[in-house]
Amino acid sequence: MSDDVILLAHGSGGLLTHRLISDLFLRHFADPVLAAQQDAAVLESPGERLAFTTDAFVVSPLFFPGGDIGRLAVCGTVNDLAMSGATPRYLSAAFIIEEGLALGVLERIVTAMAEAAREAGVAIVAGDTKVVGRGGADGLYITTAGVGSLSGGHALRTDAIAPGDRLLVSGPVGDHGLAVMAAREGLPFHPAPVSDCAPLGGLVAALLGACPPGDVHALRDPTRGGLAAVVNEWASGEGVGIDLMEDAIPVREEVRAACEMLGIDPLHAACEGRLVAAVAPGSAERALRTLQGHPLGAGAAVIGGVTADHPGRVVLTTPLGAHRLLEMPTGELLPRIC
């Protein structure tokens, strides 16, 4: 396959996505804020600090168990802001609508967006619409941008991750990716996987409020590329090793069964309502109790830790005590899931 064209795999959140960002976009858009590659840019403004993010949503199909492209657009943008420690405030939304889309379908999606915005405590304050010809947008694409406010003593940055940190996940992984894939392909799973799509601002606020300032080092929502992409980014980017316990990572049985049938590692499948946290060891138990006490974190677990050993690598210990490398996802994986 030629290296001179874009492949679907470039959009799957794995190795090709990261190469595209680092080798092309970061090379031309040289900026220290962008180079930090956080979920949201942290911007200094007179008298305040702001977080800013942008995202595009091309999920297929438009509706799936647990959500739709409208709810996903709000939750995905809000969650990127929350992962920086910000309180989400405002969103914009642009709609690229394909000629022939039923108005009833569009209204259903816009209604879901409005409900998700109320749930997240944000206002949609700006927008745009464009209409393209039949076949030009697969029904509907949505682009969003979000602004949040930063306050308090928490400075969430991946370069704060250090050996000894404990890694937590707020609930079962892989739900969203498998829900979308099953809906797209009409796969008859019983029970069918359901997306975890949810706004995480309240969960993050509870976590940061419970831990001393500075003890929550980094947060990330494991969307494209799943949990495996997040921990590999942290390991390679910060030059640390990461150890994970496979049997500590929560995965729903229906998701595990679907992954086995499809030959997919659930740790590579996307979430849209989960967070991964790197927390100082002295606050790990407090962080776990706080997550488990929130409706969106009831399935939280400590899944491993950060080590000075094997820098740049993620080592997974299996239930039988064997060790294997958990690598960055490669190939097409699950395209069009967000």
Side-chain angles (χ1 to χ4, degrees):
M1 188 68 69
S2 171
D3 292 332
D4 297 330
V5 298
I6 292 293
L7 309 175
L8 276 176
H10 283 100
S12 291
L15 187 61
L16 287 183
T17 301
H18 289 271
R19 287 178 176 171
L20 180 68
I21 292 170
S22 61
D23 296 347
L24 195 152
F25 293 107
L26 290 179
R27 181 163 55 88
H28 289 283
F29 299 157
D31 183 273
V33 176
L34 183 64
Q37 295 192 63
Q38 305 297 312
D39 279 340
V42 175
L43 307 174
E44 301 292 339
S45 179
E48 62 180 340
R49 297 168 67 234
L50 300 175
F52 176 69
T53 191
T54 189
D55 212 339
F57 298 87
V58 298
V59 64
S60 175
L62 298 178
F63 300 92
F64 46 85
D68 57 67
I69 191 172
R71 178 173 177 81
L72 182 62
V74 171
C75 293
T77 308
V78 164
N79 292 347
D80 282 349
L81 293 170
M83 294 308 108
S84 69
T87 300
R89 299 295 189 192
Y90 305 106
L91 301 182
S92 69
F95 299 81
I96 297 89
I97 308 166
E98 182 181 340
E99 180 187 19
L101 182 71
L103 276 173
V105 169
L106 182 59
E107 182 166 10
R108 182 179 167 191
I109 289 167
V110 171
T111 298
M113 288 187 73
E115 292 173 349
R118 286 192 291 271
E119 184 181 340
V122 297
I124 300 175
V125 297
D128 187 32
T129 60
K130 295 291 189 295
V131 176
V132 297
R134 293 178 184 269
D138 202 11
L140 176 70
Y141 300 151
I142 301 175
T143 299
T144 55
V147 176
S149 58
L150 284 154
S151 61
H154 293 276
L156 304 180
R157 292 185 60 88
T158 56
D159 57 13
I161 295 172
D165 282 359
R166 306 302 293 158
L167 299 185
L168 297 85
V169 66
S170 63
V173 300
D175 292 4
H176 176 75
L178 269 296
V180 173
M181 178 58 68
R184 181 185 305 162
E185 304 299 332
L187 302 176
F189 295 125
H190 297 288
V194 176
S195 174
D196 55 2
C197 186
L200 296 176
L203 181 64
V204 171
L207 175 63
L208 297 182
C211 295
D215 273 14
V216 179
H217 292 162
L219 298 174
R220 186 66 59 87
D221 55 337
T223 54
R224 293 180 304 166
L227 177 64
V230 171
V231 292
N232 272 281
E233 287 173 18
W234 284 356
S236 61
E238 307 312 320
V240 296
I242 289 179
D243 291 321
L244 298 180
M245 301 296 296
E246 187 172 19
D247 58 359
I249 301 171
V251 181
R252 298 189 197 279
E253 284 307 314
E254 59 266 31
V255 170
R256 192 184 304 277
C259 285
E260 289 177 357
M261 179 178 176
L262 296 171
I264 296 170
D265 188 333
L267 305 189
H268 290 171
C271 309
E272 287 290 348
R274 303 286 182 248
L275 63 80
V276 184
V279 180
S283 287
E285 285 303 317
R286 180 182 301 179
L288 180 62
R289 290 195 304 271
T290 301
L291 292 175
Q292 291 176 338
H294 191 282
L296 294 178
V302 176
I303 60 173
V306 180
T307 177
D309 300 331
H310 53 81
R313 296 180 180 272
V314 179
V315 175
L316 190 72
T317 301
T318 72
L320 296 178
H323 303 286
R324 69 177 178 91
L325 289 179
L326 179 64
E327 297 182 323
M328 179 73 77
T330 58
E332 184 174 305
L333 218 65
L334 298 175
R336 305 286 302 278
I337 49 84
C338 63

